[in-house]
Amino acid sequence: MSKKKFKTEISQLLDLIIHSLYSHKEIFLRELISNSSDALDKLKYLTLTDDELKKLDFDPRIDINFDADAKTLTISDNGIGMNAEDLDTNLGTIARSGTKNFLSQLSGDAVKDSNLIGQFGVGFYSCFMVADKVTVTTRRAGEDQAWNWQSDGRTNYSVDETEREQQGTTVVLHLNDNGTEYTNRWSIEQLVKKYSDHIAFPIFLEFDDTKFEGEGDDRKEIKEHKIEQINAASALWKKPKSDLSNEDYNEFYKTIGHDNEDPMMHLHTKAEGTQEYTTLFYVPSKAPFDMYQADYKPGVKLYIKRVFITDDEKELMPVYLRFLRGVIDSEDLPLNVSREILQQNRVLEAIKSASVKKVLGEFKKISDNNPEKYKEFIEQYNRPLKEGVYSDYGNRESLLELIRYKSTEEDGWTSLAAYKERMKEDQKGIYYITGDNESTLRNSPLLEAYKKKGIEVLIMDDEIDEIVAPSIMNYKETELKAVNKSGSADDLKTEEDEKKEKDLEPVLKKIKDVLGDKVKEVKASSRLSDSPSCIVADEDDPTMQMQQMMRAMGQADMPDIVPILEINPDHAIVAKLKDASDDAVFEDVSFLLFEQAMLVEGQQLKEPAEFVKRLNRVMESAV
Ligand code: ADP
């Protein structure tokens, strides 16, 4: 007998599941059935493609039986099965990186954590909510040795050799007090109907039917042993929409999406004509945990004529739509497609491109007809859509209608279209400011003149905006302009400004001499009203935030890009500076104008101690 310890994160997970999912404990059955269904899918595929397994006499099915006296519930399938190694990796460690990430996000606060776990598929381990011992007897298709895995769901599990007549997996739950309610025909039938009706394989329940015969003293109880199919066993996506209720769609989502919550929306499409296929897509109500991980698990499964082909193909959908869950079922692809062929298959390419259009069209419909729902959607998926603007040139136009921004004029989210509607008649562009903190941005001196003139500015505080916004260039012939770049203020410039700039030139030159190569240029500003100074990036340089981001992404050796310092000609300090006779004071004030502009932008000063000394000198002379 070989006893092994669970990896620590599993113990942690088990503990959490047991303590936080009690109100949903019945989902264990859905999870086990879903695993069996996946195992049947996998074997079915192999019986069509693998020469050895083609010979297998395979009649896929799932069997459930229970024993009320022994307090056991058994779920069995004749699917792909597992060998000892599979058992170790699948049931002894947490293979999915999303799970690890999930665990790293746990706060220790039971309520918060149980909300978290609700969004996350708990899979096999959910059975420990209703059982205090679980045994798994399994044999992998094509192998002779069978294995017995056993655990109490605490710290240890064991794996031993055993025998099994056929390939497949049998899970026996030794029920605890929370599980005994599942040892009757009615509760199991009800759960299967609710959660697993449209699993594509038949689920059979074994039970004793009790009947009474005769009258009076002759009345006899007759027990009859029965095995009945208890689910519809039809691929849900193949049914006509009119036969499916919202609930049908939602329950199916939970089975394939490994999620305990209802999805935000679904989109069911049947295409006929040159290409025949069915797609059923879901958008989870919360963004998947691994959405921002390079090794995210794709959520769309490929079927060919209802035969499962793969659920691990990132090419099925563009990367920016990686949050989608669902099914693509093609009638035109050959069943024995290899992975290489899949990746450059024209049929699949056509399905993909039509699906993307369909999905984006659906998002647009929601944004037009259901603003409340669209808001929920945007809070989860704005960022991937922005990635799409950057990466999917073909659908750029549609994506530009879908993304949303915060703004100085409107509460909540606004679209580029709505901004354009609100633009002033002589306004020269769509203005935006980027940075990582909304309140810093809203208070930035760069916005002063825009505020004064009543010009709306989009507030972009998502780091991806730094890359995406400049790439947009134009929205319907209107240029997008970053207000933290030098050129954008030229739009605001009046003749008067130009005159002031001339007057200020000697002072500007003097400040530049003091600051040296700390700044690229010192200019008179036409965008400031209350603040004496601000910094901007030169037109073709990355902004300060962009530089910070690139450093955070590991580009440590990026050369320092120096900003342009802009000075407010109308500010009292600047007016006095013109007449300053004391060189030391001029120097302090010049530095402070630069340093305060850096600080307001949320930048760190290179020499904070020098800054403080200067500040103190100026304060001393003021008091
Ligand atoms: P998930 O199904 O989300 O991957 P689970 O914890 O439910 O996570 O299962 C872990 C893994 O164990 C599965 O991915 C699968 O490889 C394996 N497994 C579980 N149940 C079965 C089964 N009935 N037959 C074959 N493999 C199974």
Side-chain angles (χ1 to χ4, degrees):
M1 164 132 169
S2 78
K3 242 190 166 24
K4 301 185 179 190
K5 253 185 149 55
F6 281 122
K7 290 268 152 61
T8 42
E9 65 252 22
I10 287 223
S11 300
Q12 226 181 322
L13 181 66
L14 287 171
D15 230 36
L16 184 71
I17 290 169
I18 293 169
H19 291 107
S20 62
L21 265 185
Y22 263 148
S23 51
H24 304 289
K25 63 181 171 170
E26 63 185 34
I27 59 139
F28 80 92
L29 191 59
R30 174 187 82 202
E31 298 296 318
L32 294 180
I33 290 174
S34 153
N35 282 346
S36 286
S37 168
D38 290 347
L40 292 168
D41 266 339
K42 284 178 193 155
L43 184 54
K44 188 159 178 193
Y45 175 64
L46 291 178
T47 58
L48 294 164
T49 53
D50 184 293
D51 286 339
E52 270 308 297
L53 292 170
K54 269 182 190 162
K55 294 176 236 152
L56 196 74
D57 181 17
F58 181 50
D59 182 16
R61 61 185 281 160
I62 297 168
D63 282 277
I64 302 179
N65 62 66
F66 57 87
D67 182 334
D69 299 327
K71 294 193 195 169
T72 58
L73 177 63
T74 304
I75 293 96
S76 188
D77 65 67
N78 57 348
I80 184 95
M82 287 176 275
N83 58 26
E85 214 184 315
D86 296 335
L87 278 170
D88 252 359
T89 46
N90 296 336
L91 303 187
T93 53
I94 292 181
R96 280 189 295 157
S97 59
T99 318
K100 282 189 190 144
N101 187 30
F102 162 74
L103 285 167
S104 72
Q105 293 195 25
L106 292 181
S107 62
D109 173 340
V111 178
K112 253 203 222 144
D113 289 349
S114 63
N115 282 339
L116 271 181
I117 206 168
Q119 305 162 25
F120 159 88
V122 288
F124 173 79
Y125 305 105
S126 60
C127 60
F128 287 105
M129 289 189 291
V130 295
D132 37 39
K133 191 173 99 183
V134 176
T135 64
V136 178
T137 309
T138 181
R139 190 179 127 193
R140 196 177 163 99
E143 296 181 17
D144 294 327
Q145 184 61 58
W147 301 92
N148 185 288
W149 180 98
Q150 194 164 333
S151 175
D152 61 2
R154 287 200 177 83
T155 46
N156 297 311
Y157 66 94
S158 61
V159 179
D160 302 290
E161 292 186 358
T162 186
E163 279 171 26
R164 197 182 196 280
E165 207 178 310
Q166 238 195 342
Q167 89 288 340
T169 302
T170 302
V171 178
V172 182
L173 309 182
H174 298 265
L175 300 164
N176 59 24
D177 290 345
N178 299 302
T180 42
E181 65 186 273
Y182 303 111
T183 52
N184 70 77
R185 176 185 170 189
W186 311 112
S187 63
I188 292 171
E189 274 194 24
Q190 195 204 344
L191 285 184
V192 169
K193 274 264 164 298
K194 181 169 169 194
Y195 291 122
S196 313
D197 208 27
H198 291 288
I199 287 285
F201 304 101
I203 302 172
F204 294 95
L205 180 64
E206 207 179 323
F207 57 92
D208 286 325
D209 205 15
T210 323
K211 270 200 283 197
F212 293 95
E213 262 176 27
E215 296 285 319
D217 287 350
D218 286 340
R219 204 173 130 96
K220 272 192 300 189
E221 190 186 290
I222 298 177
K223 271 201 171 152
E224 200 186 340
H225 194 70
K226 284 190 172 169
I227 299 179
E228 278 179 11
Q229 184 174 338
I230 53 171
N231 69 330
S234 59
L236 176 121
W237 61 89
K238 279 292 181 184
K239 294 202 145 192
K241 283 188 201 182
S242 53
D243 286 5
L244 294 166
S245 67
N246 227 2
E247 206 182 345
D248 292 333
Y249 280 115
N250 290 356
E251 292 311 337
F252 184 66
Y253 164 73
K254 290 177 187 172
T255 333
I256 64 157
H258 294 286
D259 191 348
N260 287 318
E261 283 182 46
D262 285 341
M264 199 182 287
M265 59 182 104
H266 68 260
L267 178 62
H268 191 182
T269 310
K270 204 177 160 86
E272 271 155 356
T274 39
Q275 296 258 340
E276 214 178 305
Y277 62 87
T278 307
T279 55
L280 172 56
F281 295 119
Y282 292 96
V283 174
S285 58
K286 300 247 164 53
F289 262 101
D290 55 1
M291 192 161 80
Y292 294 115
Q293 289 176 279
D295 60 347
Y296 70 90
K297 192 162 167 33
V300 174
K301 298 182 186 219
L302 176 67
Y303 285 75
I304 295 175
K305 299 182 192 76
R306 289 185 223 198
V307 177
F308 168 83
I309 305 294
T310 175
D311 59 0
D312 191 23
E313 181 47 75
K314 292 188 175 173
E315 300 288 321
L316 289 179
M317 276 286 133
V319 176
Y320 71 93
L321 291 177
R322 60 193 175 278
F323 56 86
L324 288 180
R325 299 290 178 257
V327 170
I328 295 176
D329 190 353
S330 160
E331 301 293 323
D332 305 315
L333 286 164
L335 272 174
N336 57 354
V337 282
S338 69
R339 173 157 264 198
E340 292 66 36
I341 290 178
L342 264 188
Q343 286 179 348
Q344 20 162 306
N345 185 280
R346 299 235 308 273
V347 175
L348 211 54
E349 208 38 60
I351 296 178
K352 176 174 168 179
S353 120
S355 296
V356 171
K357 293 211 157 44
K358 197 91 196 162
V359 168
L360 297 182
E362 180 71 10
F363 296 162
K364 180 72 168 65
K365 259 192 231 156
I366 295 172
S367 79
D368 291 341
N369 304 327
N370 193 343
E372 268 310 300
K373 186 165 183 176
Y374 197 68
K375 181 165 172 272
E376 277 173 42
F377 172 74
I378 277 301
E379 315 242 287
Q380 300 295 324
Y381 303 111
N382 205 15
R383 189 165 169 177
L385 293 183
K386 289 176 185 169
E387 289 175 28
V389 167
Y390 189 78
S391 62
D392 183 359
Y393 201 80
N395 290 298
R396 207 177 103 103
E397 303 282 296
S398 338
L399 284 158
L400 284 175
E401 300 302 328
L402 295 174
I403 53 174
R404 293 290 182 269
Y405 291 107
K406 292 169 191 159
S407 148
T408 51
E409 294 301 307
E410 289 280 298
D411 283 338
W413 299 103
T414 187
S415 63
L416 292 172
Y419 180 105
K420 212 175 143 129
E421 291 259 302
R422 288 190 294 267
M423 269 172 63
K424 296 222 151 11
E425 221 167 276
D426 56 348
Q427 193 177 322
K428 299 211 177 80
I430 295 175
Y431 297 100
Y432 66 90
I433 182 165
T434 52
D436 57 6
N437 182 299
E438 183 178 348
S439 106
T440 311
L441 290 178
R442 285 193 185 277
N443 294 311
S444 167
L446 295 173
L447 298 184
E448 287 169 5
Y450 296 90
K451 271 186 203 149
K452 224 170 174 181
K453 296 201 158 121
I455 295 176
E456 176 171 4
V457 179
L458 296 174
I459 305 286
M460 302 197 182
D461 61 350
D462 185 343
E463 60 182 11
I464 193 176
D465 293 326
E466 290 286 344
I467 298 168
V468 175
S471 82
I472 298 177
M473 317 265 265
N474 292 292
Y475 170 75
K476 299 205 167 148
E477 273 121 62
T478 307
E479 200 183 332
L480 266 76
K481 298 184 172 197
V483 306
N484 35 358
K485 292 251 174 156
S486 59
S488 63
D490 293 345
D491 296 353
L492 303 172
K493 221 179 228 166
T494 58
E495 268 176 36
E496 209 192 324
D497 286 333
E498 276 169 31
K499 193 177 158 294
K500 281 181 198 159
E501 193 166 335
K502 271 248 148 358
D503 291 348
L504 205 59
E505 238 159 42
V507 181
L508 298 176
K509 193 176 169 309
K510 231 174 126 186
I511 299 176
K512 170 72 175 121
D513 289 343
V514 171
L515 295 177
D517 52 14
K518 289 196 166 48
V519 295
K520 199 164 189 169
E521 210 179 317
V522 182
K523 287 164 80 171
S525 186
S526 43
R527 65 181 109 209
L528 295 172
S529 84
D530 300 334
S531 306
S533 60
C534 65
I535 47 163
V536 293
D538 199 1
E539 213 38 41
D540 299 321
D541 284 346
T543 60
M544 283 289 183
Q545 287 78 17
M546 179 79 160
Q547 295 171 47
Q548 242 169 11
M549 195 170 116
M550 284 162 89
R551 274 196 199 98
M553 280 161 53
Q555 296 208 4
D557 56 348
M558 208 181 56
D560 262 346
I561 290 163
V562 286
I564 291 175
L565 178 67
E566 289 194 359
I567 302 290
N568 180 355
D570 298 325
H571 200 279
I573 297 180
V574 180
K576 285 186 183 170
L577 207 53
K578 276 193 227 166
D579 311 322
S581 52
D582 183 335
D583 281 350
V585 173
F586 189 96
E587 195 167 300
D588 276 347
V589 173
S590 297
F591 268 105
L592 286 170
L593 284 173
F594 169 64
E595 285 163 333
Q596 65 164 293
M598 289 287 278
L599 289 172
V600 187
E601 280 293 298
Q603 298 301 317
Q604 277 189 349
L605 297 180
K606 287 237 166 68
E607 295 166 326
E610 291 302 313
F611 164 71
V612 170
K613 273 188 211 155
R614 277 191 271 280
L615 188 61
N616 287 335
R617 277 198 295 271
V618 173
M619 277 161 66
E620 200 185 313
S621 65
V623 283

